[in-house]
Amino acid sequence: MNKLRFYLTSPLVILVVIVALMFAMNLLVLGEQWQWGHNFFLLGICSFVIVYILASFMLSGGVFNIYSMEVGDADAPRLLVFSYWCLSFLGLVLSCYRIYRFGINGPLEGGVLFNLRYVYIWGHESNYGAQHFSLFALCLALYYAQKKRILLCIVTSAIYLISALSLAERTSVLFLFVSVVYTLFYIGWVKLKGLLVFFALLVLIFCIIAVATGRAGGEKGFDFLYSYFGYAVTALSTWMDGQAGKGCADLILGKVVDILSLGLYSCVPFDVGFADDDFNVLTYASSPYLAGGVGAVIISMAVLGGWYACLRRLACLHGGYFLAMLSCYVYALVMVFYAWQFSLTTYVYVGLILLPLFYRQRSRPTEPELNQGL
């Protein structure tokens, strides 16, 4: 792995770049004022950065080293791969059926994607497990990406994309793009120019979904892109100050807390109090702040800093399964401008599905190529 690619794939660098762009969008493009939320947001980010650097230093034995990425040369069993393809196609069929039933023959006249979004958010219609089955396609895409079997990677990615579109859900589209493109860039198949192409395609899909679902900002045209990426830290100041400790632990831990408590844990959901016409995105910091105040944000982000440092180290040394998991978790870093995305059960499902694909691979740690870097 060359030095530039090593730096650009670092979770630390990705997080810093996203935060810098977010603040530039908020302060320069949107013209917002520096408020309490800006300081609070950066406090959690600094906690992550400090622990990440310290953990990386300790895990590397006191010297920051750059290692070549090891993919693993053993293929997964054919029967296993075939079963994953079958489950992926089942997810595709269910997604197409949902598009036909609720999109094409939907209850409203706003178009296919508008209908799909409506029944998903307000109609509470079932997705028939399509998204769960489509995770097998996503895992295959990550597997084929490491194998540099690009055509198969594209096909399986398309299956997952159709599933995301069946819900008109932009975050799932972003999850796909981030994880697969990160892997392709990490192994050197996609260059910087390729990243720009992928980014342009992603923005195009976002615009199509936003326009089709009536979320493009009305008379403001495509200003929603600026607000979507930059306004949340201002909304954090507007809605969160003074509301610490009113939420639940599952705001940080997700459904894990219910599993650990054997179903005994329960709490009353907390309503921030948004009106229908208010911006309802509050950045990653809102959930832990509601659960336990400023301290919860600092502690949770510190723990995540250590976790990402460990995962990055394992990905650099062994590739394979750890690289695939890191590729998925990078999505949560990209989404810090939007919401707390670290506790999604999707990571648990993906981790379990990926394990058999990479179980037979044996990687060989390489000697350090360079003696500087993170």
Side-chain angles (χ1 to χ4, degrees), residues 15 42-56 58 252 284 288 294-310 333 340 342:
L15 180 65
L42 288 179
L43 186 64
I45 298 298
C46 288
S47 176
F48 180 101
V49 169
I50 292 171
V51 175
Y52 182 94
I53 293 175
L54 292 176
S56 298
M58 290 186 291
I252 303 176
Y284 83 91
V294 176
V297 176
I298 295 175
I299 293 173
S300 60
M301 290 302 286
V303 171
L304 286 171
W307 163 248
Y308 274 84
C310 293
L333 295 182
W340 180 267
F342 299 98

PDB file of all heavy atoms in Angstrom, residues 15 42-56 58 252 284 288 294-310 333 340 342:
ATOM      1  N   LEU A  15     -12.660  10.963   9.235  1.00  0.00           N
ATOM      2  CA  LEU A  15     -13.468  11.703  10.191  1.00  0.00           C
ATOM      3  C   LEU A  15     -13.129  13.192  10.168  1.00  0.00           C
ATOM      4  O   LEU A  15     -14.021  14.041  10.131  1.00  0.00           O
ATOM      5  CB  LEU A  15     -13.249  11.139  11.596  1.00  0.00           C
ATOM      6  CG  LEU A  15     -14.033  11.819  12.720  1.00  0.00           C
ATOM      7  CD1 LEU A  15     -15.528  11.609  12.530  1.00  0.00           C
ATOM      8  CD2 LEU A  15     -13.591  11.297  14.083  1.00  0.00           C
ATOM      9  N   LEU A  42     -17.459  19.329  18.460  1.00  0.00           N
ATOM     10  CA  LEU A  42     -16.017  19.126  18.344  1.00  0.00           C
ATOM     11  C   LEU A  42     -15.433  18.445  19.577  1.00  0.00           C
ATOM     12  O   LEU A  42     -14.410  17.756  19.475  1.00  0.00           O
ATOM     13  CB  LEU A  42     -15.324  20.464  18.122  1.00  0.00           C
ATOM     14  CG  LEU A  42     -15.533  21.098  16.743  1.00  0.00           C
ATOM     15  CD1 LEU A  42     -14.815  22.441  16.674  1.00  0.00           C
ATOM     16  CD2 LEU A  42     -15.026  20.179  15.638  1.00  0.00           C
ATOM     17  N   LEU A  43     -16.066  18.611  20.729  1.00  0.00           N
ATOM     18  CA  LEU A  43     -15.585  17.967  21.940  1.00  0.00           C
ATOM     19  C   LEU A  43     -15.593  16.450  21.792  1.00  0.00           C
ATOM     20  O   LEU A  43     -14.629  15.762  22.145  1.00  0.00           O
ATOM     21  CB  LEU A  43     -16.449  18.389  23.128  1.00  0.00           C
ATOM     22  CG  LEU A  43     -15.993  17.914  24.510  1.00  0.00           C
ATOM     23  CD1 LEU A  43     -14.639  18.514  24.854  1.00  0.00           C
ATOM     24  CD2 LEU A  43     -17.023  18.308  25.564  1.00  0.00           C
ATOM     25  N   GLY A  44     -16.691  15.920  21.260  1.00  0.00           N
ATOM     26  CA  GLY A  44     -16.764  14.482  21.031  1.00  0.00           C
ATOM     27  C   GLY A  44     -15.794  14.012  19.976  1.00  0.00           C
ATOM     28  O   GLY A  44     -15.177  12.944  20.102  1.00  0.00           O
ATOM     29  N   ILE A  45     -15.613  14.800  18.927  1.00  0.00           N
ATOM     30  CA  ILE A  45     -14.677  14.446  17.861  1.00  0.00           C
ATOM     31  C   ILE A  45     -13.250  14.410  18.397  1.00  0.00           C
ATOM     32  O   ILE A  45     -12.472  13.500  18.090  1.00  0.00           O
ATOM     33  CB  ILE A  45     -14.787  15.455  16.694  1.00  0.00           C
ATOM     34  CG1 ILE A  45     -16.189  15.423  16.078  1.00  0.00           C
ATOM     35  CG2 ILE A  45     -13.724  15.154  15.641  1.00  0.00           C
ATOM     36  CD1 ILE A  45     -16.582  14.102  15.470  1.00  0.00           C
ATOM     37  N   CYS A  46     -12.892  15.395  19.225  1.00  0.00           N
ATOM     38  CA  CYS A  46     -11.554  15.425  19.806  1.00  0.00           C
ATOM     39  C   CYS A  46     -11.318  14.210  20.697  1.00  0.00           C
ATOM     40  O   CYS A  46     -10.212  13.651  20.733  1.00  0.00           O
ATOM     41  CB  CYS A  46     -11.360  16.710  20.605  1.00  0.00           C
ATOM     42  SG  CYS A  46     -11.201  18.195  19.593  1.00  0.00           S
ATOM     43  N   SER A  47     -12.338  13.789  21.428  1.00  0.00           N
ATOM     44  CA  SER A  47     -12.229  12.594  22.262  1.00  0.00           C
ATOM     45  C   SER A  47     -11.905  11.379  21.409  1.00  0.00           C
ATOM     46  O   SER A  47     -11.030  10.570  21.757  1.00  0.00           O
ATOM     47  CB  SER A  47     -13.535  12.385  23.030  1.00  0.00           C
ATOM     48  OG  SER A  47     -13.496  11.185  23.774  1.00  0.00           O
ATOM     49  N   PHE A  48     -12.592  11.244  20.287  1.00  0.00           N
ATOM     50  CA  PHE A  48     -12.340  10.138  19.361  1.00  0.00           C
ATOM     51  C   PHE A  48     -10.912  10.201  18.836  1.00  0.00           C
ATOM     52  O   PHE A  48     -10.185   9.197  18.830  1.00  0.00           O
ATOM     53  CB  PHE A  48     -13.335  10.211  18.199  1.00  0.00           C
ATOM     54  CG  PHE A  48     -13.172   9.127  17.174  1.00  0.00           C
ATOM     55  CD1 PHE A  48     -14.009   8.024  17.175  1.00  0.00           C
ATOM     56  CD2 PHE A  48     -12.199   9.194  16.181  1.00  0.00           C
ATOM     57  CE1 PHE A  48     -13.873   7.023  16.230  1.00  0.00           C
ATOM     58  CE2 PHE A  48     -12.038   8.202  15.238  1.00  0.00           C
ATOM     59  CZ  PHE A  48     -12.892   7.109  15.261  1.00  0.00           C
ATOM     60  N   VAL A  49     -10.492  11.368  18.378  1.00  0.00           N
ATOM     61  CA  VAL A  49      -9.180  11.534  17.740  1.00  0.00           C
ATOM     62  C   VAL A  49      -8.056  11.215  18.720  1.00  0.00           C
ATOM     63  O   VAL A  49      -7.101  10.491  18.378  1.00  0.00           O
ATOM     64  CB  VAL A  49      -9.037  12.968  17.202  1.00  0.00           C
ATOM     65  CG1 VAL A  49      -7.586  13.241  16.782  1.00  0.00           C
ATOM     66  CG2 VAL A  49      -9.968  13.190  16.026  1.00  0.00           C
ATOM     67  N   ILE A  50      -8.142  11.732  19.943  1.00  0.00           N
ATOM     68  CA  ILE A  50      -7.070  11.515  20.921  1.00  0.00           C
ATOM     69  C   ILE A  50      -6.908  10.042  21.255  1.00  0.00           C
ATOM     70  O   ILE A  50      -5.799   9.493  21.245  1.00  0.00           O
ATOM     71  CB  ILE A  50      -7.352  12.333  22.202  1.00  0.00           C
ATOM     72  CG1 ILE A  50      -7.217  13.831  21.905  1.00  0.00           C
ATOM     73  CG2 ILE A  50      -6.395  11.930  23.319  1.00  0.00           C
ATOM     74  CD1 ILE A  50      -7.676  14.717  23.037  1.00  0.00           C
ATOM     75  N   VAL A  51      -8.022   9.363  21.536  1.00  0.00           N
ATOM     76  CA  VAL A  51      -7.940   7.938  21.892  1.00  0.00           C
ATOM     77  C   VAL A  51      -7.509   7.112  20.694  1.00  0.00           C
ATOM     78  O   VAL A  51      -6.740   6.147  20.840  1.00  0.00           O
ATOM     79  CB  VAL A  51      -9.297   7.451  22.436  1.00  0.00           C
ATOM     80  CG1 VAL A  51      -9.263   5.949  22.685  1.00  0.00           C
ATOM     81  CG2 VAL A  51      -9.643   8.175  23.722  1.00  0.00           C
ATOM     82  N   TYR A  52      -7.969   7.477  19.490  1.00  0.00           N
ATOM     83  CA  TYR A  52      -7.557   6.747  18.288  1.00  0.00           C
ATOM     84  C   TYR A  52      -6.040   6.810  18.109  1.00  0.00           C
ATOM     85  O   TYR A  52      -5.387   5.792  17.829  1.00  0.00           O
ATOM     86  CB  TYR A  52      -8.253   7.329  17.066  1.00  0.00           C
ATOM     87  CG  TYR A  52      -7.920   6.612  15.770  1.00  0.00           C
ATOM     88  CD1 TYR A  52      -8.730   5.595  15.290  1.00  0.00           C
ATOM     89  CD2 TYR A  52      -6.784   6.945  15.034  1.00  0.00           C
ATOM     90  CE1 TYR A  52      -8.425   4.928  14.115  1.00  0.00           C
ATOM     91  CE2 TYR A  52      -6.468   6.285  13.856  1.00  0.00           C
ATOM     92  CZ  TYR A  52      -7.294   5.280  13.405  1.00  0.00           C
ATOM     93  OH  TYR A  52      -6.963   4.623  12.241  1.00  0.00           O
ATOM     94  N   ILE A  53      -5.472   7.993  18.271  1.00  0.00           N
ATOM     95  CA  ILE A  53      -4.027   8.151  18.100  1.00  0.00           C
ATOM     96  C   ILE A  53      -3.267   7.363  19.165  1.00  0.00           C
ATOM     97  O   ILE A  53      -2.295   6.652  18.858  1.00  0.00           O
ATOM     98  CB  ILE A  53      -3.645   9.642  18.160  1.00  0.00           C
ATOM     99  CG1 ILE A  53      -4.215  10.378  16.943  1.00  0.00           C
ATOM    100  CG2 ILE A  53      -2.126   9.814  18.199  1.00  0.00           C
ATOM    101  CD1 ILE A  53      -4.001  11.879  16.983  1.00  0.00           C
ATOM    102  N   LEU A  54      -3.695   7.464  20.412  1.00  0.00           N
ATOM    103  CA  LEU A  54      -3.027   6.737  21.486  1.00  0.00           C
ATOM    104  C   LEU A  54      -3.126   5.230  21.289  1.00  0.00           C
ATOM    105  O   LEU A  54      -2.140   4.497  21.469  1.00  0.00           O
ATOM    106  CB  LEU A  54      -3.631   7.135  22.837  1.00  0.00           C
ATOM    107  CG  LEU A  54      -3.373   8.576  23.302  1.00  0.00           C
ATOM    108  CD1 LEU A  54      -4.118   8.851  24.603  1.00  0.00           C
ATOM    109  CD2 LEU A  54      -1.881   8.830  23.472  1.00  0.00           C
ATOM    110  N   ALA A  55      -4.310   4.746  20.920  1.00  0.00           N
ATOM    111  CA  ALA A  55      -4.501   3.307  20.715  1.00  0.00           C
ATOM    112  C   ALA A  55      -3.676   2.811  19.535  1.00  0.00           C
ATOM    113  O   ALA A  55      -3.070   1.730  19.598  1.00  0.00           O
ATOM    114  CB  ALA A  55      -5.984   3.004  20.487  1.00  0.00           C
ATOM    115  N   SER A  56      -3.625   3.591  18.459  1.00  0.00           N
ATOM    116  CA  SER A  56      -2.819   3.210  17.299  1.00  0.00           C
ATOM    117  C   SER A  56      -1.348   3.119  17.673  1.00  0.00           C
ATOM    118  O   SER A  56      -0.631   2.204  17.245  1.00  0.00           O
ATOM    119  CB  SER A  56      -3.005   4.226  16.169  1.00  0.00           C
ATOM    120  OG  SER A  56      -4.347   4.260  15.735  1.00  0.00           O
ATOM    121  N   MET A  58      -0.045   2.497  20.678  1.00  0.00           N
ATOM    122  CA  MET A  58       0.193   1.342  21.535  1.00  0.00           C
ATOM    123  C   MET A  58       0.110   0.033  20.754  1.00  0.00           C
ATOM    124  O   MET A  58       0.907  -0.883  20.975  1.00  0.00           O
ATOM    125  CB  MET A  58      -0.807   1.349  22.693  1.00  0.00           C
ATOM    126  CG  MET A  58      -0.568   2.456  23.705  1.00  0.00           C
ATOM    127  SD  MET A  58      -1.654   2.344  25.148  1.00  0.00           S
ATOM    128  CE  MET A  58      -3.240   2.737  24.397  1.00  0.00           C
ATOM    129  N   ILE A 252     -27.624   4.992  22.619  1.00  0.00           N
ATOM    130  CA  ILE A 252     -26.215   4.733  22.328  1.00  0.00           C
ATOM    131  C   ILE A 252     -25.996   3.283  21.924  1.00  0.00           C
ATOM    132  O   ILE A 252     -25.314   2.991  20.948  1.00  0.00           O
ATOM    133  CB  ILE A 252     -25.333   5.041  23.555  1.00  0.00           C
ATOM    134  CG1 ILE A 252     -25.531   6.477  23.998  1.00  0.00           C
ATOM    135  CG2 ILE A 252     -23.857   4.796  23.230  1.00  0.00           C
ATOM    136  CD1 ILE A 252     -24.767   6.833  25.253  1.00  0.00           C
ATOM    137  N   TYR A 284     -24.350  13.224  15.135  1.00  0.00           N
ATOM    138  CA  TYR A 284     -24.081  12.058  15.974  1.00  0.00           C
ATOM    139  C   TYR A 284     -24.217  12.379  17.459  1.00  0.00           C
ATOM    140  O   TYR A 284     -24.542  11.525  18.285  1.00  0.00           O
ATOM    141  CB  TYR A 284     -22.648  11.554  15.716  1.00  0.00           C
ATOM    142  CG  TYR A 284     -21.614  12.317  16.514  1.00  0.00           C
ATOM    143  CD1 TYR A 284     -21.220  11.876  17.778  1.00  0.00           C
ATOM    144  CD2 TYR A 284     -21.082  13.513  16.046  1.00  0.00           C
ATOM    145  CE1 TYR A 284     -20.321  12.607  18.538  1.00  0.00           C
ATOM    146  CE2 TYR A 284     -20.187  14.238  16.788  1.00  0.00           C
ATOM    147  CZ  TYR A 284     -19.807  13.781  18.038  1.00  0.00           C
ATOM    148  OH  TYR A 284     -18.933  14.512  18.786  1.00  0.00           O
ATOM    149  N   PRO A 288     -26.107  10.348  22.323  1.00  0.00           N
ATOM    150  CA  PRO A 288     -25.449  10.162  23.627  1.00  0.00           C
ATOM    151  C   PRO A 288     -25.682  11.329  24.577  1.00  0.00           C
ATOM    152  O   PRO A 288     -25.728  11.139  25.797  1.00  0.00           O
ATOM    153  CB  PRO A 288     -23.962  10.021  23.269  1.00  0.00           C
ATOM    154  CG  PRO A 288     -23.831  10.606  21.907  1.00  0.00           C
ATOM    155  CD  PRO A 288     -25.128  10.347  21.221  1.00  0.00           C
ATOM    156  N   VAL A 294     -22.982  15.585  28.410  1.00  0.00           N
ATOM    157  CA  VAL A 294     -21.680  15.778  27.767  1.00  0.00           C
ATOM    158  C   VAL A 294     -20.745  14.610  28.067  1.00  0.00           C
ATOM    159  O   VAL A 294     -20.006  14.146  27.186  1.00  0.00           O
ATOM    160  CB  VAL A 294     -21.051  17.101  28.236  1.00  0.00           C
ATOM    161  CG1 VAL A 294     -19.650  17.269  27.657  1.00  0.00           C
ATOM    162  CG2 VAL A 294     -21.924  18.283  27.824  1.00  0.00           C
ATOM    163  N   GLY A 295     -20.779  14.104  29.292  1.00  0.00           N
ATOM    164  CA  GLY A 295     -19.910  12.992  29.653  1.00  0.00           C
ATOM    165  C   GLY A 295     -20.160  11.753  28.809  1.00  0.00           C
ATOM    166  O   GLY A 295     -19.213  11.042  28.445  1.00  0.00           O
ATOM    167  N   ALA A 296     -21.414  11.486  28.496  1.00  0.00           N
ATOM    168  CA  ALA A 296     -21.740  10.313  27.681  1.00  0.00           C
ATOM    169  C   ALA A 296     -21.169  10.457  26.277  1.00  0.00           C
ATOM    170  O   ALA A 296     -20.728   9.470  25.666  1.00  0.00           O
ATOM    171  CB  ALA A 296     -23.257  10.121  27.619  1.00  0.00           C
ATOM    172  N   VAL A 297     -21.169  11.664  25.747  1.00  0.00           N
ATOM    173  CA  VAL A 297     -20.602  11.898  24.417  1.00  0.00           C
ATOM    174  C   VAL A 297     -19.098  11.660  24.433  1.00  0.00           C
ATOM    175  O   VAL A 297     -18.548  10.974  23.568  1.00  0.00           O
ATOM    176  CB  VAL A 297     -20.909  13.330  23.940  1.00  0.00           C
ATOM    177  CG1 VAL A 297     -20.236  13.610  22.603  1.00  0.00           C
ATOM    178  CG2 VAL A 297     -22.408  13.538  23.820  1.00  0.00           C
ATOM    179  N   ILE A 298     -18.419  12.205  25.441  1.00  0.00           N
ATOM    180  CA  ILE A 298     -16.965  12.058  25.520  1.00  0.00           C
ATOM    181  C   ILE A 298     -16.569  10.591  25.688  1.00  0.00           C
ATOM    182  O   ILE A 298     -15.673  10.091  25.005  1.00  0.00           O
ATOM    183  CB  ILE A 298     -16.416  12.895  26.694  1.00  0.00           C
ATOM    184  CG1 ILE A 298     -16.646  14.384  26.428  1.00  0.00           C
ATOM    185  CG2 ILE A 298     -14.932  12.618  26.910  1.00  0.00           C
ATOM    186  CD1 ILE A 298     -16.245  15.273  27.580  1.00  0.00           C
ATOM    187  N   ILE A 299     -17.236   9.884  26.578  1.00  0.00           N
ATOM    188  CA  ILE A 299     -16.896   8.482  26.853  1.00  0.00           C
ATOM    189  C   ILE A 299     -17.187   7.598  25.647  1.00  0.00           C
ATOM    190  O   ILE A 299     -16.358   6.770  25.244  1.00  0.00           O
ATOM    191  CB  ILE A 299     -17.653   7.978  28.093  1.00  0.00           C
ATOM    192  CG1 ILE A 299     -17.167   8.702  29.341  1.00  0.00           C
ATOM    193  CG2 ILE A 299     -17.478   6.465  28.254  1.00  0.00           C
ATOM    194  CD1 ILE A 299     -17.973   8.393  30.586  1.00  0.00           C
ATOM    195  N   SER A 300     -18.372   7.752  25.068  1.00  0.00           N
ATOM    196  CA  SER A 300     -18.745   6.900  23.938  1.00  0.00           C
ATOM    197  C   SER A 300     -17.827   7.129  22.745  1.00  0.00           C
ATOM    198  O   SER A 300     -17.422   6.173  22.071  1.00  0.00           O
ATOM    199  CB  SER A 300     -20.209   7.142  23.549  1.00  0.00           C
ATOM    200  OG  SER A 300     -20.414   8.497  23.182  1.00  0.00           O
ATOM    201  N   MET A 301     -17.469   8.380  22.480  1.00  0.00           N
ATOM    202  CA  MET A 301     -16.574   8.652  21.353  1.00  0.00           C
ATOM    203  C   MET A 301     -15.144   8.185  21.633  1.00  0.00           C
ATOM    204  O   MET A 301     -14.421   7.776  20.724  1.00  0.00           O
ATOM    205  CB  MET A 301     -16.592  10.141  21.024  1.00  0.00           C
ATOM    206  CG  MET A 301     -17.904  10.615  20.412  1.00  0.00           C
ATOM    207  SD  MET A 301     -18.337   9.738  18.880  1.00  0.00           S
ATOM    208  CE  MET A 301     -17.175  10.478  17.739  1.00  0.00           C
ATOM    209  N   ALA A 302     -14.735   8.220  22.900  1.00  0.00           N
ATOM    210  CA  ALA A 302     -13.423   7.691  23.264  1.00  0.00           C
ATOM    211  C   ALA A 302     -13.365   6.179  23.031  1.00  0.00           C
ATOM    212  O   ALA A 302     -12.390   5.647  22.488  1.00  0.00           O
ATOM    213  CB  ALA A 302     -13.108   8.022  24.719  1.00  0.00           C
ATOM    214  N   VAL A 303     -14.410   5.488  23.460  1.00  0.00           N
ATOM    215  CA  VAL A 303     -14.476   4.037  23.238  1.00  0.00           C
ATOM    216  C   VAL A 303     -14.442   3.724  21.743  1.00  0.00           C
ATOM    217  O   VAL A 303     -13.746   2.798  21.296  1.00  0.00           O
ATOM    218  CB  VAL A 303     -15.745   3.455  23.885  1.00  0.00           C
ATOM    219  CG1 VAL A 303     -15.940   1.993  23.480  1.00  0.00           C
ATOM    220  CG2 VAL A 303     -15.667   3.583  25.404  1.00  0.00           C
ATOM    221  N   LEU A 304     -15.172   4.483  20.966  1.00  0.00           N
ATOM    222  CA  LEU A 304     -15.186   4.272  19.517  1.00  0.00           C
ATOM    223  C   LEU A 304     -13.816   4.547  18.905  1.00  0.00           C
ATOM    224  O   LEU A 304     -13.405   3.872  17.963  1.00  0.00           O
ATOM    225  CB  LEU A 304     -16.236   5.168  18.863  1.00  0.00           C
ATOM    226  CG  LEU A 304     -17.686   4.737  19.061  1.00  0.00           C
ATOM    227  CD1 LEU A 304     -18.641   5.819  18.562  1.00  0.00           C
ATOM    228  CD2 LEU A 304     -17.965   3.421  18.328  1.00  0.00           C
ATOM    229  N   GLY A 305     -13.099   5.539  19.426  1.00  0.00           N
ATOM    230  CA  GLY A 305     -11.757   5.806  18.926  1.00  0.00           C
ATOM    231  C   GLY A 305     -10.849   4.604  19.093  1.00  0.00           C
ATOM    232  O   GLY A 305     -10.095   4.236  18.181  1.00  0.00           O
ATOM    233  N   GLY A 306     -10.919   3.961  20.260  1.00  0.00           N
ATOM    234  CA  GLY A 306     -10.136   2.754  20.484  1.00  0.00           C
ATOM    235  C   GLY A 306     -10.579   1.602  19.600  1.00  0.00           C
ATOM    236  O   GLY A 306      -9.751   0.835  19.077  1.00  0.00           O
ATOM    237  N   TRP A 307     -11.899   1.456  19.408  1.00  0.00           N
ATOM    238  CA  TRP A 307     -12.435   0.389  18.573  1.00  0.00           C
ATOM    239  C   TRP A 307     -11.982   0.522  17.124  1.00  0.00           C
ATOM    240  O   TRP A 307     -11.537  -0.441  16.498  1.00  0.00           O
ATOM    241  CB  TRP A 307     -13.949   0.384  18.669  1.00  0.00           C
ATOM    242  CG  TRP A 307     -14.651  -0.382  17.585  1.00  0.00           C
ATOM    243  CD1 TRP A 307     -15.428   0.121  16.600  1.00  0.00           C
ATOM    244  CD2 TRP A 307     -14.621  -1.802  17.362  1.00  0.00           C
ATOM    245  NE1 TRP A 307     -15.901  -0.875  15.778  1.00  0.00           N
ATOM    246  CE2 TRP A 307     -15.418  -2.074  16.223  1.00  0.00           C
ATOM    247  CE3 TRP A 307     -13.995  -2.860  18.020  1.00  0.00           C
ATOM    248  CZ2 TRP A 307     -15.598  -3.359  15.733  1.00  0.00           C
ATOM    249  CZ3 TRP A 307     -14.187  -4.148  17.523  1.00  0.00           C
ATOM    250  CH2 TRP A 307     -14.983  -4.379  16.397  1.00  0.00           C
ATOM    251  N   TYR A 308     -12.061   1.730  16.585  1.00  0.00           N
ATOM    252  CA  TYR A 308     -11.654   1.939  15.196  1.00  0.00           C
ATOM    253  C   TYR A 308     -10.159   1.743  15.022  1.00  0.00           C
ATOM    254  O   TYR A 308      -9.709   1.260  13.969  1.00  0.00           O
ATOM    255  CB  TYR A 308     -12.072   3.332  14.724  1.00  0.00           C
ATOM    256  CG  TYR A 308     -13.475   3.395  14.195  1.00  0.00           C
ATOM    257  CD1 TYR A 308     -14.558   3.543  15.053  1.00  0.00           C
ATOM    258  CD2 TYR A 308     -13.740   3.295  12.831  1.00  0.00           C
ATOM    259  CE1 TYR A 308     -15.855   3.594  14.576  1.00  0.00           C
ATOM    260  CE2 TYR A 308     -15.035   3.344  12.339  1.00  0.00           C
ATOM    261  CZ  TYR A 308     -16.090   3.495  13.219  1.00  0.00           C
ATOM    262  OH  TYR A 308     -17.376   3.538  12.740  1.00  0.00           O
ATOM    263  N   ALA A 309      -9.362   2.119  16.022  1.00  0.00           N
ATOM    264  CA  ALA A 309      -7.921   1.900  15.936  1.00  0.00           C
ATOM    265  C   ALA A 309      -7.603   0.409  15.872  1.00  0.00           C
ATOM    266  O   ALA A 309      -6.744  -0.027  15.088  1.00  0.00           O
ATOM    267  CB  ALA A 309      -7.225   2.545  17.137  1.00  0.00           C
ATOM    268  N   CYS A 310      -8.286  -0.393  16.700  1.00  0.00           N
ATOM    269  CA  CYS A 310      -8.086  -1.852  16.680  1.00  0.00           C
ATOM    270  C   CYS A 310      -8.514  -2.447  15.349  1.00  0.00           C
ATOM    271  O   CYS A 310      -7.801  -3.288  14.767  1.00  0.00           O
ATOM    272  CB  CYS A 310      -8.861  -2.503  17.820  1.00  0.00           C
ATOM    273  SG  CYS A 310      -8.267  -2.111  19.480  1.00  0.00           S
ATOM    274  N   LEU A 333     -18.660   6.788  10.343  1.00  0.00           N
ATOM    275  CA  LEU A 333     -17.828   7.987  10.417  1.00  0.00           C
ATOM    276  C   LEU A 333     -18.300   9.040   9.424  1.00  0.00           C
ATOM    277  O   LEU A 333     -18.321  10.236   9.723  1.00  0.00           O
ATOM    278  CB  LEU A 333     -16.362   7.636  10.145  1.00  0.00           C
ATOM    279  CG  LEU A 333     -15.665   6.726  11.154  1.00  0.00           C
ATOM    280  CD1 LEU A 333     -14.217   6.518  10.745  1.00  0.00           C
ATOM    281  CD2 LEU A 333     -15.742   7.312  12.562  1.00  0.00           C
ATOM    282  N   TRP A 340     -26.417   9.492  15.015  1.00  0.00           N
ATOM    283  CA  TRP A 340     -25.646   8.413  15.650  1.00  0.00           C
ATOM    284  C   TRP A 340     -25.904   7.118  14.885  1.00  0.00           C
ATOM    285  O   TRP A 340     -26.977   6.547  14.940  1.00  0.00           O
ATOM    286  CB  TRP A 340     -26.071   8.279  17.110  1.00  0.00           C
ATOM    287  CG  TRP A 340     -25.361   7.212  17.870  1.00  0.00           C
ATOM    288  CD1 TRP A 340     -25.764   5.925  18.050  1.00  0.00           C
ATOM    289  CD2 TRP A 340     -24.118   7.347  18.565  1.00  0.00           C
ATOM    290  NE1 TRP A 340     -24.853   5.239  18.809  1.00  0.00           N
ATOM    291  CE2 TRP A 340     -23.829   6.084  19.137  1.00  0.00           C
ATOM    292  CE3 TRP A 340     -23.220   8.398  18.755  1.00  0.00           C
ATOM    293  CZ2 TRP A 340     -22.689   5.855  19.903  1.00  0.00           C
ATOM    294  CZ3 TRP A 340     -22.078   8.166  19.521  1.00  0.00           C
ATOM    295  CH2 TRP A 340     -21.826   6.918  20.079  1.00  0.00           C
ATOM    296  N   PHE A 342     -23.564   4.388  14.943  1.00  0.00           N
ATOM    297  CA  PHE A 342     -22.592   3.390  15.371  1.00  0.00           C
ATOM    298  C   PHE A 342     -23.232   2.122  15.934  1.00  0.00           C
ATOM    299  O   PHE A 342     -22.592   1.089  15.989  1.00  0.00           O
ATOM    300  CB  PHE A 342     -21.661   3.996  16.428  1.00  0.00           C
ATOM    301  CG  PHE A 342     -20.873   5.162  15.933  1.00  0.00           C
ATOM    302  CD1 PHE A 342     -21.290   6.454  16.178  1.00  0.00           C
ATOM    303  CD2 PHE A 342     -19.702   4.965  15.205  1.00  0.00           C
ATOM    304  CE1 PHE A 342     -20.557   7.540  15.728  1.00  0.00           C
ATOM    305  CE2 PHE A 342     -18.969   6.035  14.744  1.00  0.00           C
ATOM    306  CZ  PHE A 342     -19.400   7.333  15.008  1.00  0.00           C
TER     307      PHE A 342
END
